[in-house]
Amino acid sequence: MKRFADEIRAAIAAATGIDAAAVRLEKPRDIAMGDFAFPCFVLAKELKQAPPAIAADLAGKLNEDFSNIQAVATGPYLNFKVEVAALSQAVVEGAIAGGNQYGQSDEGAGRRVVIDFSSPNIAKPMHVGHLRSTILGASLHRMHALLGYEPVGINHIGDWGSQFGKLVAAIARWGDTVDIDADPIPALLKLYVRFHDEAEGDPTLEEEARTAFRELESGVEGDVRETWRKITELSLAEFNKTYERLGVEFDLVRGEAWYEDKLTSTLDRIEASGVTEESDGATIVDLTSIRKKMAPCLLKKTDGTTLYATRDMAALFSRHDEFDFHRLLWVVGSDQNLHFEQLKGVLKRMELPWEPACEHVSFGMMRLPEGKLSTRAGKVVFLGDVLDRAVEEARRTIAEKNPDLANAELVAEQVGVGAIVFNDLKRERIKDVVFKWDEVLSFEGETGPYAQYTFARMQSILRKAKASGEEAATTGAAPDWSALEDARGVILCLGRYPDAIRTAAAEAEPSHLTQFILNLCRETNSWYANHRVLGEAPELTAARLALVEAASSVVRAGLTMLGVPAPQEM
RNA sequence: GCGCCCGUAGCUCAGCUGGAUAGAGCGCCUGCCUCCGGAGCAGGAGGUCACAGGUUCGAAUCCUGUCGGGCGCACCA
C-alpha cells in the first residue's frame, strides 16, 4: 500500500518540482473515485493556474509513466486508482505475512519511551475511574513496541502520604474488628472510612495518625513500617489479579515511597538552577513567564517538608537519568492538567532541552449519572464488579446463542472483559465519560464483541476451508487477485492499518485504532454478506480465502494492540 | 473571579490536523437465514456542526467574542 502511495508522491514531485515528502495524499470522498486523492489547490498559487486545469494537466503527464496506476482528474482533484490485482496481492500478502506484527517498523529503533500509567492508590479498591489510565497506557506500550521503540511501562503506585498514617492508626485501634488477610482491600477501606467518621469527634485520632506518618517518614524499622509494608503487599496482590484479567503488565512497579530519599537532591538540583524563590515562607517556582497567570509550582512548605510536586519532580528526574527517554508519557486524568503543566513549566524555566519529550496524556473524567465518583462517600462502581457483570452478560449470551461452545467460561471472560476494554478505548481520550451500565454491557453495534464476532466468523470460514481441502495451498490454485475488485473497500482498509497504528502511537490516542477496527469490521461484514468464499471457482475461492485470512489477521492484530482477546469461536 | 478543556442526528460518538454531497452505532420504522455464524447485513426517517463575527479559493476543523458543561486554582495527593 505504502509503495503505491510513494510511487504517486514521487511522480507528482517529479512533474511539479515540489518535494515528494510534502505531497499530501488523501482518501477520496467516495471509493469509486479512487484509492488516493491529491487536491491541486496547493499548487494553484505556485503554478498560477486554476486547480482543475492543473489536475487535468497532471493526469495526462502522470499516466504516461504509471504502469498499474491510473490518474483521473475530477474537478480540482487528481484521483488515483491502483490496478486491482497489483493492489490486492500486495496488501493481502503483506497483511498475512505480518500476522500480529503487521504494521511493525523500526522508526523507534534505539529509542526508549517511558510510560507512566495506572498508578492506583494502595489500600483502596480500583474503581471504573482507574480503568482508563490502565488500558490506555497498556495499549500505548504495545503500539510503541510494535513500532520498534523500547517501551518502559511504570506503575507509579500511590503508596505514600499522610493517609497512610491514618490507616496505620486505624489498624492499631480497630484492626481486630476486620479480617484484613481474608479480603484486605474492603477491610482497609472500612477502616479508612471509619477513621474519617470518628476523627471529627476525636482529635486524638488525627494526632495518632500524624505520629504514625512521622515515624514512617523517619525510615526507622518498627511496627508502623511493618504495617505499611504489609498493606502495600496485600494491595499489590489484589491489583495484580485485576491486571491479569486485563492482560496488563508493567516493566517496573515503583511506588512514590521509592523517591523519598531523593527529595533533597531534587530540591538542590532545582535550586541550583536558580529558578526557585521564597513566597510566604514556602519555596516555589514562579511560572508566569511560561503562561500568564499560571499558578506557581510549590516545592517546599513553610515547615520545610515537601509536597506532591516535589515527589513528582524527583520521579521525573529519575526517569530521565535512568532511562534517557525519547518520550515520556504520563497517562493521568485531566483533573491533573495544571500539575503536569507546572512540572513541564519548571523544566522549561530550567532550560532543559528534553522538556518537550515529556507529554501529559490527559484523559477525561469518569462520572456516574448522579455525579462525581467518590470511594469514601460510597458513590463508586468497582472495577471488579464491572468486569464480573460483563462476563456474566457474556455467559448469558453464549448460553443463548451458542450453547454447545467449548471453553464457554474462558470465552465469556474474554468477551466480557473485551467489551469493557474496547468500550473505554472507543472515544477520544480527552472526552469525559458518564458511566452507564446498559452502555458498557452492550454487545451490539460498535462494541468489542462485534469486532470479536467478526473475527470468529472469518475464522470459522477458514476452518471450514481447511476441513474441505479448499485452502489455496491444498488445491494448488493460484489466487485470482483481479477478482477482488468488489472487495476494494476491505483491501484499502487493510492497507491503511500501519498508518492507523503510527497515528495512534504518535498522538497517544488508541481510539484511532479502535475506530479503525470498527471500520474494517463494517467493511468486511458488508462484503461477505454479499459474497461467498467457499465453493466458487478454485482461483476465486483462493483469492477470497486469502482476503478473509488477511482481514481476520488484521482484526486480531488490532484487538491485540488494544488488549482485547480474539477468541476463535464465541 | 481567573485558567485549561469540551460542545456535530433524540442519545453515544467518527470526521484523515483547512478540501469534494458532514458519517457510524444505539433507539424508532422496513426488509434479509432451504446458502460459509442474525453478537450480522441492506434500506428509511432524523443535521442552522451551540451562537455571532472574522481569516481565504475553500471552515465542523484556524482566530475573537458570547452562551452552556467539565476540571483545576499554594503549603492534600
Side-chain angles (χ1 to χ4, degrees), chain A residues 198-260:
Chain A
E198 299 202 9
E200 284 171 34
D202 183 358
T204 61
L205 262 174
E206 292 281 5
E207 191 43 49
E208 283 171 31
R210 269 192 294 275
T211 309
F213 186 57
R214 259 198 302 277
E215 183 179 334
L216 191 57
E217 270 190 310
S218 72
V220 301
E221 289 296 331
D223 287 351
V224 171
R225 196 152 196 96
E226 195 51 44
T227 305
W228 171 76
R229 198 169 282 142
K230 189 180 166 192
I231 297 170
T232 304
E233 277 164 14
L234 289 171
S235 298
L236 279 176
E238 279 305 302
F239 294 157
N240 282 336
K241 290 181 194 165
T242 303
Y243 291 139
E244 205 169 309
R245 290 185 86 177
L246 294 172
V248 171
E249 288 174 10
F250 299 91
D251 301 297
L252 189 61
V253 177
R254 189 180 276 176
E256 292 179 64
W258 192 84
Y259 303 93
E260 270 307 287

Side-chain angles (χ1 to χ4, degrees), chain A residues 191-493:
Chain A
L191 292 178
Y192 189 63
V193 171
R194 182 167 177 185
F195 179 95
H196 278 276
D197 288 346
E198 299 202 9
E200 284 171 34
D202 183 358
T204 61
L205 262 174
E206 292 281 5
E207 191 43 49
E208 283 171 31
R210 269 192 294 275
T211 309
F213 186 57
R214 259 198 302 277
E215 183 179 334
L216 191 57
E217 270 190 310
S218 72
V220 301
E221 289 296 331
D223 287 351
V224 171
R225 196 152 196 96
E226 195 51 44
T227 305
W228 171 76
R229 198 169 282 142
K230 189 180 166 192
I231 297 170
T232 304
E233 277 164 14
L234 289 171
S235 298
L236 279 176
E238 279 305 302
F239 294 157
N240 282 336
K241 290 181 194 165
T242 303
Y243 291 139
E244 205 169 309
R245 290 185 86 177
L246 294 172
V248 171
E249 288 174 10
F250 299 91
D251 301 297
L252 189 61
V253 177
R254 189 180 276 176
E256 292 179 64
W258 192 84
Y259 303 93
E260 270 307 287
D261 61 3
K262 288 154 189 71
L263 295 175
T264 321
S265 60
T266 299
L267 274 169
D268 289 348
R269 194 161 169 176
I270 301 171
E271 279 169 357
S273 73
V275 302
T276 56
E277 56 191 84
E278 293 286 310
S279 174
D280 297 337
T283 303
I284 65 161
V285 178
D286 183 273
L287 298 171
T288 51
S289 62
I290 305 297
R291 177 167 60 75
K292 257 189 183 130
K293 297 180 181 175
M294 178 150 66
C297 182
L298 192 54
L299 292 174
K300 198 156 69 170
K301 297 193 255 184
T302 319
D303 65 6
T305 57
T306 58
L307 292 111
Y308 177 45
T310 328
R311 264 190 285 283
D312 262 14
M313 285 304 302
L316 174 51
F317 285 132
S318 149
R319 304 267 189 279
H320 176 260
D321 297 345
E322 190 172 349
F323 299 110
D324 188 29
F325 50 75
H326 169 74
R327 203 179 181 194
L328 167 68
L329 305 177
W330 288 298
V331 187
V332 183
S334 62
D335 54 346
Q336 303 210 30
N337 280 355
L338 177 60
H339 171 71
F340 287 104
E341 206 189 349
Q342 287 173 324
L343 296 192
K344 281 171 69 66
V346 172
L347 296 187
K348 269 188 209 160
R349 287 221 44 206
M350 293 173 75
E351 295 176 2
L352 294 169
W354 46 274
E355 178 273 329
C358 306
E359 302 170 40
H360 177 202
V361 180
S362 174
F363 57 84
M365 296 288 96
M366 178 87 76
R367 267 178 298 144
L368 298 180
E370 56 269 30
K372 246 179 137 164
L373 286 164
S374 167
T375 304
R376 225 201 294 163
K379 287 200 305 181
V380 67
V381 178
F382 296 120
L383 186 46
D385 293 342
V386 175
L387 298 178
D388 288 345
R389 275 186 69 173
V391 171
E392 173 56 36
E393 185 67 25
R395 204 178 283 132
R396 193 164 34 231
T397 309
I398 290 169
E400 177 194 318
K401 295 177 189 280
N402 198 356
D404 300 327
L405 179 66
N407 302 322
E409 190 47 39
L410 171 66
V411 175
E413 174 78 14
Q414 293 178 318
V415 171
V417 174
I420 298 299
V421 172
F422 193 94
N423 180 259
D424 212 37
L425 292 176
K426 195 163 69 177
R427 63 199 104 216
E428 210 183 1
R429 61 175 153 78
I430 197 62
K431 298 227 161 88
D432 288 348
V433 181
V434 176
F435 182 87
K436 296 199 185 95
W437 279 108
D438 58 346
E439 208 171 280
V440 300
L441 296 180
S442 161
F443 292 172
E444 283 169 21
E446 298 173 327
T447 65
Y450 167 75
Q452 291 172 317
Y453 180 69
T454 304
F455 172 76
R457 277 171 78 187
M458 287 192 279
Q459 286 300 307
S460 171
I461 293 176
L462 295 172
R463 275 195 304 275
K464 286 210 164 72
K466 215 167 258 176
S468 61
E470 285 193 71
E471 199 181 22
T474 321
T475 61
D480 178 8
W481 299 113
S482 67
L484 294 179
E485 181 59 47
D486 49 34
R488 190 176 279 264
V490 181
I491 291 165
L492 287 172
C493 206

